[in-house]
Amino acid sequence: MKHFFKIAIIVIVVLIILILVQVLFSFRITDTFSKFFGGTELSSVHVNVGHEYIIPAFEIVSLEIFYPKNLSVIEVSAKEWWRLNIGTVFIFINYDSYVRLGVKNPELIKMERIDNTVYVDESTIVISVLDQKVNNFEHIKTFTSNIFVQTRDLEGPTLQAINELEKELSQRMNESNQIVNFDYAKRNFMDNYKNLCKAMGLEVVWR
């Protein structure tokens, strides 16, 4: 039993020393060693998109959709057992995002002018996602799954999460349940084009 207690005490002392070294000297190892034994990596991103504000616009862009104050949880997994850095970091953030819809290639729209009438082939007006952005990030709070998980060196996984948020936004807009926004963008483009031609004394006929 004495030997068991001696070994237990030695293990506890070693753990305490590792923790003190980690905290006081910010001990780091080489990238090669880190890749071999594991490290921190992005686990998942949970997205909760807020209420949308639709802003009609006329250029190539015919519709802007604004999503303010979205809430996301970024999970970063740590597996550095040699540093006692094992667990998950949860980063809660607020951010704004917006999407622009419009005609990417207006030169593909088929039209013909005869006297003061412009005939436009409606089927050649193709609406697509022109741009999507995620910005105005606000850090709310950071939680850890246990007291040993470190919250530094999270810049890389956080930037990766931002890219995932933009992909999620683009995918959401291209899903079938968002087709109403594409239809609205097309109608708005047609209305603005018709008004522009009318201001120049021209009549538009859709065919």
Side-chain angles (χ1 to χ4, degrees):
M1 287 294 290
K2 291 183 179 180
H3 291 294
F4 174 78
F5 284 115
K6 287 181 180 180
I7 294 174
I9 292 173
I10 292 174
V11 170
I12 293 173
V13 170
V14 170
L15 290 176
I16 292 174
I17 292 174
L18 285 174
I19 293 173
L20 291 176
V21 170
Q22 181 66 37
V23 173
L24 297 177
F25 300 100
S26 298
F27 174 72
R28 300 188 181 191
I29 63 174
T30 64
D31 291 339
T32 303
F33 194 68
S34 177
K35 289 178 181 178
F36 181 78
F37 287 98
T40 57
E41 59 182 11
L42 180 66
S43 298
S44 63
V45 180
H46 304 282
V47 181
N48 180 21
V49 176
H51 182 71
E52 67 180 25
Y53 290 90
I54 298 178
I55 305 171
F58 178 70
E59 318 166 7
I60 295 177
V61 180
S62 56
L63 193 71
E64 293 183 357
I65 304 176
F66 179 52
Y67 300 90
K69 296 298 180 182
N70 302 298
L71 174 65
S72 270
V73 182
I74 300 173
E75 296 182 18
V76 180
S77 175
K79 301 175 183 177
E80 301 170 311
W81 54 266
W82 65 91
R83 302 167 66 183
L84 298 183
N85 184 25
I86 303 174
T88 305
V89 180
F90 302 93
I91 307 172
F92 290 76
I93 60 172
N94 270 336
Y95 64 94
D96 297 335
S97 58
Y98 78 91
V99 179
R100 296 192 305 163
L101 302 179
V103 180
K104 183 174 294 185
N105 297 309
E107 66 275 7
L108 298 180
I109 299 176
K110 294 181 180 179
M111 61 183 67
E112 179 184 11
R113 178 178 173 179
I114 301 177
D115 296 329
N116 290 330
T117 303
V118 179
Y119 298 90
V120 184
D121 190 342
E122 182 180 343
S123 64
T124 61
I125 302 174
V126 179
I127 300 297
S128 57
V129 176
L130 300 180
D131 188 25
Q132 64 273 334
K133 287 188 179 180
V134 177
N135 53 19
N136 297 330
F137 286 93
E138 178 185 359
H139 177 249
I140 302 175
K141 199 168 182 67
T142 298
F143 296 94
T144 59
S145 59
N146 60 70
I147 60 174
F148 298 108
V149 184
Q150 301 168 27
T151 58
R152 67 172 184 269
D153 299 331
L154 300 177
E155 182 179 354
T158 301
L159 291 176
Q160 182 184 350
I162 292 174
N163 291 332
E164 293 297 326
L165 291 175
E166 291 186 343
K167 291 179 182 178
E168 166 73 17
L169 185 61
S170 179
Q171 181 179 355
R172 183 180 297 270
M173 289 308 305
N174 282 292
E175 289 175 353
S176 59
N177 61 353
Q178 294 292 337
I179 196 65
V180 61
N181 290 325
F182 283 79
D183 289 341
Y184 184 24
K186 184 172 182 176
R187 291 197 306 271
N188 189 56
F189 178 87
M190 293 169 65
D191 290 342
N192 283 317
Y193 184 79
K194 184 177 181 179
N195 291 334
L196 179 63
C197 289
K198 184 178 180 180
M200 295 186 296
L202 301 174
E203 180 186 1
V204 175
V205 175
W206 307 103
R207 59 185 183 184

